[in-house]
Amino acid sequence: AHKLLLRLRDIPDYTLKAKYFLGVVAFRMGKYKNAVLYLRQHLEQTPENPHVLAKIGMAYLHLGEIVNAREACNRALAMEPWHIGAKWTLGCAMLEEGRTDDATKVLRDVLAEAPDHLAAFHELVRIRADQRDWEWLRKALRAEVAVHDRLPLTSERFDPVSGQAINIRPRASTRERVSILLNTLANSEQDLVPLILDAMNLTSDEGLRFQLWEAALQESA
């Protein structure tokens, strides 16, 4: 893809798109400096593009250039306050800066708009674990299990960036969140078996009950 895009870059009708996708390919290859270079070249002709700015922000984040990452995301959000990618990267940048409270607010915003964003949920759980807020995590586990059966198997959420509906699976996402919480609580050195068995009573879904039962067996082993 990289070789073909380099050839397309020299054809005027394809130059703009080629620069964008060269940036995407460079990012996938872990060449983050090249990703920033190509994406910034793309921005020279399309400066009002929050999607590209969000990608530049993530590339900067991988490079450890936290201030540049935050600035790129803030520029993107100034254009589109609902941009999930920019918010996610901004939250990660704030965590790197040690601004835990600000990052938590941003990550909650991400989940409010995209409940299926498991990476944001995982970061919130990690923050609580670092704070040793085991009670919050225990309540979160019960809440996730309790809501599972009331959720539809499939649903849609509107993506304002693409202007299209995205298919999501709310129950599957909830089971993933339950797994994240169980794995995190397993490191708390607390007796989780009563908590897990109690949570089993909050759902009639056999798949989720089996997931919880397995976790209880591992804890009691």
Side-chain angles (χ1 to χ4, degrees):
H2 183 260
K3 290 179 180 179
L4 290 172
L5 288 166
L6 283 175
R7 293 168 60 186
L8 287 171
R9 183 185 57 176
D10 297 327
I11 302 175
D13 289 345
Y14 296 97
T15 299
L16 185 62
K17 286 186 177 180
K19 288 178 179 178
Y20 170 74
F21 286 109
L22 278 168
V24 173
V25 169
F27 187 94
R28 294 289 183 89
M29 294 170 66
K31 298 180 178 179
Y32 302 116
K33 287 186 177 180
N34 288 345
V36 170
L37 174 65
Y38 287 126
L39 292 172
R40 287 178 68 87
Q41 288 176 356
H42 178 87
L43 274 184
E44 290 174 1
Q45 294 175 270
T46 58
E48 303 298 317
N49 193 323
H51 185 60
V52 176
L53 281 166
K55 287 186 175 297
I56 289 174
M58 182 55 76
Y60 274 133
L61 189 64
H62 280 280
L63 289 169
E65 298 183 24
I66 309 304
V67 173
N68 287 334
R70 177 163 44 79
E71 289 178 352
C73 291
N74 282 330
R75 284 180 60 192
L77 291 170
M79 299 174 197
E80 289 188 9
W82 52 80
H83 198 290
I84 298 298
K87 282 188 176 182
W88 162 240
T89 304
L90 178 61
C92 292
M94 288 176 169
L95 283 175
E96 290 293 327
E97 292 177 312
R99 298 167 55 190
T100 304
D101 291 343
D102 291 334
T104 297
K105 292 177 182 177
V106 173
L107 294 173
R108 283 176 178 168
D109 285 345
V110 171
L111 286 171
E113 297 179 27
D116 55 318
H117 200 298
L118 293 175
F121 182 79
H122 197 288
E123 281 301 314
L124 285 176
V125 169
R126 187 185 63 79
I127 290 170
R128 292 290 183 172
D130 287 346
Q131 296 171 341
R132 304 187 68 79
D133 192 350
W134 307 122
E135 184 60 25
W136 185 94
L137 294 170
R138 293 166 72 94
K139 289 180 179 178
L141 177 64
R142 285 180 53 86
E144 292 293 340
V145 175
V147 77
H148 176 273
D149 294 5
R150 300 197 296 270
L151 296 172
L153 291 174
T154 61
S155 184
E156 293 182 344
R157 66 173 174 83
F158 178 72
D159 179 22
V161 176
S162 65
Q164 298 177 345
I166 298 177
N167 294 323
I168 61 175
R169 301 170 60 198
R171 288 195 184 187
S173 295
T174 297
R175 289 194 294 274
E176 290 286 348
R177 289 197 292 271
V178 167
S179 179
I180 290 170
L181 288 164
L182 288 171
N183 290 336
T184 302
L185 283 165
N187 297 320
S188 66
E189 300 180 355
Q190 298 183 15
D191 183 8
L192 298 181
V193 175
L195 170 67
I196 296 173
L197 295 180
D198 181 54
M200 286 181 63
N201 295 323
L202 302 175
T203 178
S204 60
D205 182 88
E206 290 302 321
L208 181 53
R209 287 176 62 85
F210 183 72
Q211 179 182 353
L212 292 166
W213 178 248
E214 278 192 319
L217 288 176
Q218 290 177 0
E219 284 295 317
S220 59

